[in-house]
Amino acid sequence: MNILGIETSCDDTGIAIYSKEKGLISNKIYTQDIHKLYGGVVPELASRDHIKRISTMIDSSLEEAKLNLTMIDAIAYTVGPGLSGSLLVGAAVANAIGFTINKPVIPIHHLEGHILSPLINDDSPNLPFIALLVSGGHSQLILVESIGKYKILGETLDDAAGETFDKIAKMLGYDYPGGVHIANMAKQGTDLFKFTRPMINSESLDMSFSGLKTSVNLKIKYLKENNLFDETTKYNIAKSAEEAITDILVKKTLGAVQLTGICDVVVAGGVSSNLTLRNKFTSTQLKVFYPPNKLCTDNGAMIAYVGFLRLENSTFNYSFDIYPRLPLEDIDTIYQQNKL
Ligand code: KG4
Ligand code: ZN
């Protein structure tokens, strides 16, 4: 059985094929670079770029998997959350293909894709587990009781962790997405600035990053005014910011483990590829699972895989809608009520 996965929630076009028998047999990701000019994702341009590339990417994915369209048994696509124009491209293409080959089409929650992506690996967590979801738009601690049963234990009250990386990178003169630039600079830096770690000692599992962002901003302003903003200082700022963000994430995850008594932890979303974060988790007692490296950021493989897990939720009428805001906790009820 082969599931075609289509991810177009933001600025990555992700096309993949998951085979029940062979696992992941194709995974194509195109990260749009047009947005670099604007310092952030421009929704209109994102949807136009998805349209431009999606058919050729599906063709090359089928070629990589040595399949033709008639050998696809179901199509899974991201139904939300995300940018409406971008989501519509994936939804329309998925339903058009399903209609053409008369196969089921399965709407998938983007964040469920991220959370369950480590299950593609042979060494995967036992249910229930805790998921730390850290992406450009989300920072959440989620109790995963079973597939489809999710409880948010804590989340950011302001900026997401990835967004904080991006904004600090921008202050240091780097393009979006900035997380990887901060990580690279931090390798050469020292944690001289010891930035604030908001809410780190509060009992709540909620997080906050905006105070950290502000203190980095003020420090940069001061350094610039005093002609102290050289390359080494930039590296030190990156290191101090990375240390602060990752300390918050690890401390809150430990809090979730303490609260639930569950030690299996999944760390997913773009920020999960950060090595400092991973090293900090290694020095805890937790059993931490990550998606395969290529599946940390947005991709079609996680959508194809969750499509495989959720095949019974498929629809045959090919009428569809998209949901730019889609609550994860209610996802099973939404499926049961056939509202997707
Ligand atoms: O999951 P993702 O690809 O897209 C969203 O759904 O948001 O996550 C993208 C985020 C960006 O904020 C990016 O800066 C961050 O993940 N990111 C990183 C690293 N690689 C990507 N942040 C810190 N360290 C990294 N190595
Ligand atoms: Zn994502």
Side-chain angles (χ1 to χ4, degrees), residues 9-12 110-111 114 134-138 161-166 176-180 182-183 242 269-275 296-298:
S9 65
C10 188
D11 60 338
D12 295 296
H110 179 79
L111 301 183
H114 275 304
V134 270
S135 68
H138 293 86
E163 187 182 3
T164 311
F165 272 109
D166 295 336
Y176 169 90
V180 73
I182 296 281
E242 188 187 57
V271 181
S272 70
S273 51
N274 185 278
L275 290 182
C296 284
T297 48
D298 289 349

Side-chain angles (χ1 to χ4, degrees), residues 66 84 119 140 143 156 193 213 220 249 277 289:
K66 300 190 174 54
S84 46
L119 273 60
Q140 292 180 322
L143 169 61
T156 181
F193 297 104
K213 186 186 65 187
I220 292 175
L249 295 176
L277 180 66
F289 300 85

Side-chain angles (χ1 to χ4, degrees), residues 281-298:
F281 273 122
T282 306
S283 53
T284 65
Q285 302 293 313
L286 308 180
K287 230 174 146 207
V288 183
F289 300 85
Y290 301 94
N293 272 347
K294 280 193 84 176
L295 308 192
C296 284
T297 48
D298 289 349

Side-chain angles (χ1 to χ4, degrees), residues 2-10 12-18 50 54 58 72-99 103-114 299-311 313-324 326 331 334-335 338-340:
N2 302 307
I3 318 284
L4 174 67
I6 299 179
E7 154 62 38
T8 60
S9 65
C10 188
D12 295 296
T13 316
I15 304 292
I17 299 169
Y18 181 82
H50 286 306
I54 196 161
I58 292 172
I72 294 295
D73 299 286
I75 303 107
Y77 69 97
T78 304
V79 68
L83 303 171
S84 46
S86 291
L87 289 167
L88 276 168
V89 176
V93 170
N95 280 279
I97 295 175
F99 177 76
K103 290 286 163 57
V105 177
I106 318 151
I108 300 297
H109 194 296
H110 179 79
L111 301 183
E112 187 174 43
H114 275 304
N299 63 85
M302 64 186 191
I303 303 303
Y305 177 69
V306 179
F308 164 68
L309 299 178
R310 285 198 169 275
L311 202 50
N313 298 119
S314 52
T315 157
F316 286 86
N317 67 9
Y318 310 117
S319 90
F320 62 89
D321 206 346
I322 47 92
Y323 297 85
L326 186 60
I331 193 71
I334 295 172
Y335 274 125
N338 234 341
K339 284 193 181 153
L340 285 176

